[in-house]
Amino acid sequence: MTGGHRLGLLAGDGIGPEIVPAAVQCVDAAARAVGLPSIEWVELPLGRTAIDTHGAAVPAETLAALDGLEAWLLGPHDSVSYPEPHRSQLNPSGTIRKHAGLFANIRPAKSFAGSRAVVPGTDLVIVRENTEGFYADRNTYAGTGEFMPTPDVAIAHGIITRAATEKIAEAAFELAMQRRKHVTIVHKANVLMLTTGLFRDVCREVAARYPEVTVDDFHIDAMTVHLVRRANEFDVIVTENMFGDILSDLSGELAGSLGIAPSVNSSLTQAMAQAAHGSAPDIAGRDIANPIAMILSSAMLLEWLGARHDDERLIRAAALIRAGVDRTVASGTATGDLGGTASTSAFAAAVASAIDSAGLDHASASTQDPSPQGASTTGAQE
Ligand code: ATP
């Protein structure tokens, strides 16, 4: 892509207005460092404030604007605190994922060298199906899959389709081909035989097209045990919506903290960066939230854009952001959840400054050595 990029910005609730600007600061620094034209940020109303100003947590004008964008950053939302009727409606990220058909939720969990982790050396990716499964707000065309025929009886249903499973399995196997070529399918086919059984079987069918990839599968309950014992032995984990939501919180925490777990939600044409954690209302407004998950989610977004447009600068910008976070944490600067004392804003400033210096190193290395090897020095620190 040669022109400038327009990226949507939806700050959300709780710690969103603290961690989203932190990510913007790092993306802007990385764009400068690799010589990308400056990014145009398109701020869009969403969440509690949008209910007050526009009468809806996801106003129609926000959805219309997203239709015209390829990529955006979404902050967390605190939909359980919304006044009715908003609280009972499909929540903001579900609304956007459904509206834009973002079927793949990619959630890496990677521990940092020099930082505490329950399972050091964890480096895995949860590939979570995003549009159906056992979340009642995703599995119907209209209304929800959860209802109460009487005040004392509540019923929910789930849905698994061959088409959606095939798409998510392909995304998982393609990702595994770029990583350590190991896919783990997670299901509960001993009890939810037809639904998660179909999920497992379709994933196995797709696996047959990737003979280089090692495949295993586990029941969701057994998988939690395997993760706690040996999260560092897994590579790509593919699973349905609800299991993926639960496993990604678990693996984020095993890798160090839920505050470092990034994610991207994508279709074939649009992508949304979104931290795996929620709005953390218990720590909102105190400048102590860890912005790493949001910062790394925006790096994933740049990588997605880079792959889509075959633009090496975006890939390098993503690598610079990752390297900046790694270097900052390794130098002992971290927020409280990782055992440090840095504020959200101080941590973001430290990462942006690490990116700036890496960009300067890169510029001087390029002047001294115009060879492609010289040009890729900074990106290779990743
Ligand atoms: P949701 O259902 O919206 O995903 P949740 O119920 O999983 O939300 P979170 O908001 O993710 O809950 O918070 C869970 C715990 O993790 C809280 O104690 C919160 O303070 C902590 N936490 C979440 N995100 C961060 C962060 N970025 N930095 C530090 N702590 C965090």
Side-chain angles (χ1 to χ4, degrees):
M1 197 166 199
T2 48
H5 288 273
R6 291 177 78 234
L7 297 184
L9 204 55
L10 304 95
D13 305 316
I15 58 173
E18 298 159 66
I19 60 171
V20 170
V24 168
Q25 192 177 357
C26 296
V27 170
D28 283 340
R32 268 195 312 275
V34 301
L36 276 169
S38 65
I39 288 167
E40 182 191 341
W41 295 100
V42 183
E43 283 185 46
L44 298 169
L46 180 111
R48 186 67 184 83
T49 51
I51 292 176
D52 295 336
T53 55
H54 293 72
V58 187
E61 68 170 72
T62 293
L63 289 178
L66 292 179
D67 288 344
L69 293 169
E70 194 177 29
W72 57 90
L73 267 57
L74 176 75
H77 50 74
D78 186 16
S79 36
V80 289
S81 73
Y82 296 170
E84 289 293 7
H86 309 282
R87 181 170 46 229
S88 304
Q89 291 167 353
L90 178 52
N91 71 43
S93 62
T95 303
I96 295 175
R97 287 171 186 176
K98 204 166 182 172
H99 177 83
L102 306 176
F103 67 88
N105 185 200
I106 312 292
R107 293 184 155 182
K110 187 168 188 243
S111 56
F112 286 98
S115 171
R116 70 180 181 201
V118 180
V119 185
T122 296
D123 180 8
L124 60 83
V125 183
I126 309 272
V127 176
R128 166 193 176 198
E129 205 291 321
N130 227 358
T131 59
E132 49 180 44
F134 296 88
Y135 273 175
D137 61 1
R138 315 284 154 84
N139 62 23
T140 48
Y141 167 68
T144 96
E146 196 176 33
F147 54 99
M148 294 181 79
T150 76
D152 299 319
V153 177
I155 299 177
H157 63 239
I159 177 171
I160 300 285
T161 65
R162 169 174 291 277
T165 307
E166 246 175 34
K167 279 206 289 188
I168 201 67
E170 275 161 14
F173 281 91
E174 286 297 324
L175 181 63
M177 288 299 288
Q178 298 158 33
R179 289 176 49 94
R180 302 194 303 276
K181 298 191 172 63
H182 175 195
V183 170
T184 303
I185 306 161
V186 176
H187 57 87
K188 186 66 184 168
N190 55 339
V191 177
L192 296 166
M193 292 183 199
L194 299 181
T195 48
T196 71
L198 178 64
F199 186 89
R200 177 200 55 195
D201 295 346
V202 172
C203 286
R204 285 271 179 194
E205 284 170 30
V206 172
R209 286 187 245 141
Y210 296 86
E212 288 173 59
V213 178
T214 306
V215 185
D216 46 19
D217 68 271
F218 293 104
H219 296 140
I220 176 66
D221 43 355
M223 189 65 195
T224 60
V225 176
H226 287 293
L227 279 175
V228 170
R229 284 191 189 153
R230 55 185 187 97
N232 49 8
E233 290 177 24
F234 291 94
D235 179 17
V236 174
I237 297 168
V238 64
T239 190
E240 67 85 36
N241 202 340
M242 183 166 67
F243 297 165
D245 199 11
I246 296 166
L247 286 186
S248 53
D249 270 26
L250 174 63
S251 41
E253 196 61 34
L254 292 175
S257 159
L258 188 50
I260 63 172
S263 91
V264 91
N265 300 265
S266 61
S267 67
L268 298 178
T269 54
Q270 289 184 302
M272 168 170 92
Q274 180 185 21
H277 58 73
S279 63
D282 51 335
I283 57 168
R286 293 162 57 195
D287 199 22
I288 59 169
N290 190 340
I292 291 183
M294 197 67 235
I295 293 172
L296 293 181
S297 301
S298 61
M300 290 177 74
L301 193 72
L302 296 185
E303 215 159 45
W304 182 89
L305 279 168
R308 183 162 153 73
H309 295 287
D310 200 16
D311 187 337
E312 193 53 36
R313 293 171 306 173
L314 286 159
I315 308 277
R316 271 196 289 124
L320 276 181
I321 294 175
R322 289 215 180 88
V325 170
D326 284 348
R327 216 170 304 148
T328 305
V329 175
S331 76
T333 302
T335 46
D337 56 313
L338 287 183
T341 55
S343 64
T344 310
S345 46
F347 182 83
V351 176
S353 146
I355 295 169
D356 282 339
S357 354
L360 289 175
D361 292 350
H362 167 71
S364 64
S366 310
T367 327
Q368 287 157 22
D369 174 9
S371 68
Q373 288 85 347
S376 66
T377 312
T378 356
Q381 292 175 11
E382 220 264 78

